[in-house]
Amino acid sequence: MIHSLFLINHSGDIFLEKHWKSVISRSVCDYFFEAKEKAVDPENVPPVLQTPHHYLITVYRGKLFFLSVIQTEVPPLFVIEFLHRVADTFQDYFGECSEGVIKDNVVTVYELLEEMLDNGFPLATESNVLKEMIRPPTILRSVVNTLTGGSNVGDMLPTGQLSNIPWRRAGVKYTNNEAYFDVIEEIDAILDKSGTTVFAEIQGAIEACVRLSGMPDLTLSFMNPRLLDDVSFHPCVRFKRWESERVLSFIPPDGNFTLMTYHVSSQNLVAIPVYVKQNISFFETGSCGRLEITIGPKQTMGKTVEGLMVTIHMPKAVLSVNLTATQGNYTYDLATKVLVWDIGKLNPQKLPNLRGSLSMPSGVPKPEENPSLNIDLKIQQLAISGVKVSRLDMYGEKYKPFKGVKYVTKAGKFQVRT
Amino acid sequence: MTTMQKLLQLPVNAVNIVKTVQSQVQGQEEDKSPVLTPDSGPQTWYSALQPDELRHLRSGGTGGGGGGGGDQEERAPLEDGGGGGGGTFQTQPLRHDDLKEMLDSNKDSLKLEAMKRIVAMIARGKNASDLFPAVVKNVACKNIEVKKLVYVYLVRYAEEQQDLALLSISTFQRGLKDPNQLIRASALRVLSSIRVTIIVPIMMLAIKEAASDMSPYVRKTAAHAIPKLYSLDPEQKDQLIEVIEKLLADKTTLVAGSVVMAFEEVCPERIDLIHKNYRKLCNLLIDVEEWGQVVIINMLTRYARTQFLNPNINESLLEEGGVGEKTFYGSDEDEDEDEDEKEKKAEAAALAKRKPYVMDPDHRLLLRNTKPLLQSRNAAVVMAVAQLYFHLAPKAEVGVIAKALVRLLRSHSEVQYVVLQNVATMTIKRRGMFEPYLKSFYIRSTDPTQIKVLKLEVLTNLANETNISTILREFQTYIKSMDKDFVAATIQAIGRCATNIGEVRDTCLNGLVQLLSNRDELVVAESVVVIKKLLQMQPEKHSDIIKHMAKLTDNIQVPMARASILWLIGEYCEHVPKIAPDVLRKMAKSFTNEEDIVKLQIINLAAKLYLTNSKQTKLLTQYVLNLAKYDQNYDIRDRARFIRQLIVPTEKSGALSKYAKKLFLALKPAPVLESPFKDRDHFQLGSLSHLLNAKAGGYQELPDWPEAAPDPSVRNVEVKESVPEWTKCSSREKRKEKKVEKPFYSDSEGESGPTESADSESDSASGSESASGSEESGSRSESEESEEASESEEEEEEEEEKKKKKQKEVKKTVQESESEQSSEEDRKHERKSKPRKSDTESESDEDEESESESSQSESEDSESEAEVKKKKKASEAKPPSKPVKKESKKEKKEMSLLDLDDFEPSPSPQVTPVNTFLSNSLVTDLEGLSLSDSVLAPATIAPSSALKSYELLHRITGEGLSVEYCFSRQPFSPDANMVAVQMQVTNNATTDTKNLHIEDVKLQSGMRVKEFPEIELLAAGETATAVMGIDFCDSTQAANFQLCTHARKFFVSIQPPVGELMRPVFLTENEFKKEQEKLLHNLGQLMGMNEITEKLTLDAKCRNEHAIVQRVTTAANLSRVPCGSDKECRFAGRTVTSSSLVLVTVATKEEGAAQLTVNCEKMVIGTMLVKDILLALTQ
């Protein structure tokens, strides 16, 4: 299985290595660097590389490469999924998954890696179990530890691993018992030049933050579960119950987790919250171009569209832009040729507009393709698919928890072709 | 063994050795003190790390001073804030001496600090091996974090310092004996991770011991240790396989994944080890942790390929098979499946004759149990299930995986990459599956190129006559992309669509020709190559295009494109007779500057023209051939020589030149544009080998389906010799025996000895889960059950074997009684009991029974359940009266031990043993032989046919749902201590009722309830029967619970009449008298306390013997005791829970006067029973 792990930063420095079997020289990473060189874009580095003696499986997260060395046949997704789980764990522990934070917590990181794999085979990947063994650093604890010489390692032995609900740690106690559920929906869409929908679908996820004492058994039911076309669950969800009654019955892990993700079938018409009028043209002569974009609300269900942002990857030939925005600011990164227009809240009375000229070096032929626009937006208090949580019940514990559900709609991969 | 002894002795001298070694090392180190000198090589990598380094250095300076070290460590990052520190790095080297000093100190905080720094060094890939002696001493440190870090260090460096590593072994050996399971496990984990060859025997021993540890967690660790030991010393394989075999039999979910992993690494070829565990693995699968699931599913795929027949073997035949067959195979809705399966088994024999293919029930089991995992959040699990379905499922069922795979496309780009590769392979074989998801493969400009290309591949594979126009429109957008590699791939994709779909060939060709005027050369070149391939299909029509392309030779520089054009012109020179020689002329001019492939095509063109138009081109050809003769490339020289000999007739040239024209201008078949993913599916999908399209090391080939199915009976689980004993002893004894002799066997799901503190916690955890009330539907806990099921299956089989001779007759009764009291599903198969009975094949029956059990609902306590199940099995395999007999014998034995010395003479030994081994038929025989001259009423043995039923839920309060219950007087097979309550549920409403089950059971202490399995669906107007068991604890307290449907809950309670709290026992008259005597004079109790006598006047209708028997047996579940006198009727029974004897005597006198005597240890029962019987006889 997974033989070794190397963490490599964006500039190609190996800043952490961990071996679960005998040591493999870091020179093995040279094959990766070669491929990285060739691929130009870090996203284009093939996730699986073959070298004479090893296989390298890499994931790219937070500007870091997690490079694992494999020696024998193993399902590649197994490794990829695990590496992402490692990154998730770091994020969970330290708030972010970046080079700096990993270096600052190198001992904790090392302890985590030690627990997560045994001989290259995943051992404990549940965050609740890990947190029982290795406590995540907090400011308070680090102060206490300095004074008392204490440590991050839990003095209690993790019993979670032994129970048949390994995702929940034992002996949870809170003074305020609360359970929050965020229903987050993302619209993936491709709109063509004329504004008609080529393809649109809704992907949803229920992110939970559960802080309940004891062993609560929760049941969450929907007003309209039939909308959900395809679902995937956290292991705590009882699948049979879902099959038969369409309710989510589960004993939750402690803390934050993704309860389920779902897909709303593309057969249902997906409401597109905004429309985009755009006109980007390059002139054959004069080495310049013109750009005009207007965004207006379309099907917003009476809510305000916030966090509106337009990102455009300009053709390489575009040297600079000279634009005026009626609302918000724009930036143009000369190196990456990315134009970002941050609009903010969409005001239906006064539609935001961005117009101006694009300049190109003379003599360069005009780009053939117009760049497509990537739209980002957010609508609070709305699940665009219409999914609604009808109730949440708790069994198994006496206290009355505070329960909250929040809905957010976001743009996922929302693209307008021009 | 000597090495072992040596090792064991080592620790005694450990301190000395450490000291000496340490001093040596120190001595060496004085010379090369700066830590970093040993690995200065890769230092350039670390430049970014130096701020971090600095932190350690600084605190290192003060570290020796005392507690301040830790302090500094925490503050440092705040102070220097990550600024550069490369300079100071050199001037203030961190000395290993300082670290050693810290490690040697008494303070844990200092040790910890030092260890943290050392681990940080390891993490950065620095050499810290010099510190080994200093670190290894701390292996026994009390501080848990220090210990952990020392372990980290040890695992990293033990391999390099084998001798010193041995010093730590004794600590781990001590750890292996620790009462705490987690410490045992971690000791084993580290011990097996330090790759030191000399400790192989110790490891082997430790693994063997841990494999039979009580704690499943330790066993899991043992499973992890197996591949470690194997890689260290492959010689141990045989012994390790034994351990694997043992662990494979483990019934806990915790172990399953790890041991299969070990199996795959050590002995994947020993597929025979899986047979016995196959069903168990299938059943456990859903509760195994995610990573284990992946490994198990992949292994089972391989297993299934060796054991089952290809389900698609008679595809055509099936399609003819008509509607019935189709639903039979096509349905994978869960509700249908149980039925399906039963159908299959029941009719297996018959079908085998009629139909050439019938899916093995085990094959079906695998498919059914893996399907829910498609909903896993873990992409690897989803992929594993998808590949399993792709490789194993009947064609009609594979479709279910498409949705899940499409879902994964939302995930990280690496996941997308792998999934798309697999989807691409799948779409070649099963295009229809992904067609509905066509749009999900549309490409966004922001996708990475490698993803774009893969999506394109999928889109191309999905293209057919109906969707091609949409796809081509989509392709048109892609062609304008800025990503030129992607554009090139799109052009190729268009070419493939054009070859595959005749209708759009011309459209595509026109589109591609337009691309020839594209500004980007790459695009043009790619188009040329594709056009060339397309033109080959119908060259006559397209001389225009060829002409157009001939013009392009002036501009296009991409060699492949040039070569393609030249080939085209040469091949179709008769279509362009004027242009061709001119092109050759131009080419001859530039010949020396061309790339090799172009040169080859120039020669080719020249040769072809020479053959068709030698007048114009003879000289040109010779010129070209001469140039080629002196080319640097030997291929070109060879080609020139070869062609010259062929086409230019000389006196020496052989017969071949006559055929030159035929050779060169033969009709060439058009190329088939194929997907690069074609035939990749001979690699197991989802594997590394599939992704690389090359066999990776350790890849296990996916075998072809066998021609004929191997014997399916190998998967039947076999008997253990000791089992028969257990079924006879009491539950308590049973448990004890298990604990002592087979500690491993007894503990499933973390229930183990009372010494285990952590275990008891997990027990309570599961307890609270069940208290939550929704347990019965909880999938988590189901594993327990399936374990139990398989366990009991074992037992049953063994019973089966024992009783093989009587089998047929017995079996029928078993089936009948079982089906009467079991769930809805069983009811379904009862309808088919006709073919079943004729089917004497025992296996299929057993399967079914175990099946229905696993679907049965939970009881609270898994431990007791295990026993219950065993009993159930025992009683099932024997005639209904049998378990009672067994118990009575056992109890008598116990009693007699007490009684013999103290009181009465024991019951005659000749009588009892006979009873013990009575079969049902024998009982009847004996009855005939009994002293009684009266004809016995049939009611004496069998329960009265007229069972009184009570109302549990009225249809008005139940909103259309009405429930009646009666005490069926059948032994409740899952637990002999329970009273069987048979419920008849009628749905009078107009709508269906779903998920009828029991919740929230409220009971008096000691009482227990075994719920009936959830009734999934009760259609309007339908009636279903369910049987539940209640242990009333020999009291008439009501059992309260809620009856829940999908919509409502109803509070109901069941209160038993006292007569139902007992079960009949068969006694002879002599025994009866003896028992009565005994009860009267029972141990230390006041005489007469156990006897209640009542005088009564019999009801007028009830003065004959028959009527009395009838009424008494109706009032109480007792059996009649044969009796010599016609004046007396005697009845005997035992209370269900405590098995206390209940003896009833009705002595009749003249004119309806009678005397009723009840003897019973339980006074309350006795009194109440008297009242009830009195009522029954006098009314």
Side-chain angles (χ1 to χ4, degrees), chain B residues 556-564 595 597-598:
Chain B
I556 293 186
Q557 293 307 321
V558 177
M560 191 63 207
R562 285 177 83 85
S564 293
E595 288 278 332
I597 44 167
V598 184

Side-chain angles (χ1 to χ4, degrees), chain A residues 73 114 151 188 235 369 417, chain B residues 145 189 410 480 689 780:
Chain A
E73 169 66 45
E114 182 75 23
S151 69
D188 287 357
E369 191 203 25
R417 290 176 176 165
Chain B
E145 185 163 19
R189 203 179 138 196
R410 277 278 299 181
K480 284 189 268 167
S689 305
R780 295 299 136 209

Side-chain angles (χ1 to χ4, degrees), chain B residues 462-490:
Chain B
L462 289 180
N464 60 16
E465 285 82 359
T466 47
N467 58 22
I468 184 68
S469 55
T470 350
I471 291 182
L472 281 182
R473 204 176 314 135
E474 198 50 32
F475 282 177
Q476 259 166 12
T477 332
Y478 302 161
I479 282 178
K480 284 189 268 167
S481 168
M482 284 181 274
D483 185 342
K484 292 306 165 204
D485 292 336
F486 170 53
V487 175
T490 310

Side-chain angles (χ1 to χ4, degrees), chain B residues 1104-1166:
Chain B
N1104 63 17
E1105 195 194 0
H1106 183 76
I1108 292 173
V1109 170
Q1110 179 101 47
R1111 295 208 178 184
V1112 173
T1113 50
T1114 310
N1117 189 10
L1118 297 169
S1119 82
R1120 185 164 178 208
V1121 175
C1123 175
S1125 141
D1126 55 356
K1127 296 272 189 226
E1128 277 190 323
C1129 296
R1130 295 193 178 119
F1131 306 88
R1134 280 182 188 279
T1135 58
V1136 172
T1137 307
S1138 59
S1139 287
S1140 323
L1141 262 185
V1142 181
L1143 306 173
V1144 177
T1145 318
V1146 182
T1148 50
K1149 291 167 190 162
E1150 288 86 15
E1151 302 200 0
Q1155 183 177 329
L1156 171 70
T1157 313
V1158 172
N1159 299 82
C1160 180
E1161 258 180 276
K1162 303 240 171 189
M1163 288 202 324
V1164 185
I1165 297 239

